[in-house]
Amino acid sequence: MNDRTINIRNIQHFLYCPRRYSLLEINNDWAENYFVVKANIQHQHVHDGSHSFSDSKMVVRSDVAVYNDLPEYDLFGITDCIEFIHDKNGVEISGLDGKYRVKIVEYKPKAPKETQFNETDAIQVFAQKICADHIWNCNCEAFIYYSDTRKRVRLPFDSEYEKYDEMLKKLLCEMRNVLS
């Protein structure tokens, strides 16, 4: 990791407000508020390990660190949940027996009213996908689970890969320009 490596969680900070992102990253300015505290409490349960389990069909792990050190990405972060589903056509996962399909599940507290998912959430999950694909040499599926509706939404990365890839690379470049 170098000074140009981007933490995936900061993508949403940048999308929300580039100035706020720069204050957080350059000045280390941060203040907790109601929304931050509420989100942190909701995510504590996601990251406490209680979502990790194994059965005959899958291995589920919460709080999984991922990275992609290719120069065009140079990202790292923590996923909420990764599901490794037994599949004879899948990929081998270090530390697990057999082959698996890989699914990322990102937990969000509230579903948007007008669309299936927020683009800012999707680009964060796409960054996680880029990392997971890099680590496990796969083409993982990606979902957002909205707690208020208790539903998963599959993200359209198969059909819109180029769109999200271009968007992510542009964002990373803009973020690095701010840091410079």
Side-chain angles (χ1 to χ4, degrees), residues 152-167:
R152 279 187 183 187
V153 175
R154 183 176 177 158
L155 297 170
F157 299 148
D158 289 339
S159 61
E160 298 182 32
Y161 185 92
E162 292 80 16
K163 168 189 161 184
Y164 284 99
D165 192 48
E166 185 177 308
M167 191 184 315

Side-chain angles (χ1 to χ4, degrees), residues 54-67:
S54 300
D55 64 22
S56 63
K57 296 179 183 174
M58 70 173 75
V59 176
V60 177
R61 295 291 179 256
S62 62
D63 207 31
V64 178
V66 294
Y67 71 94

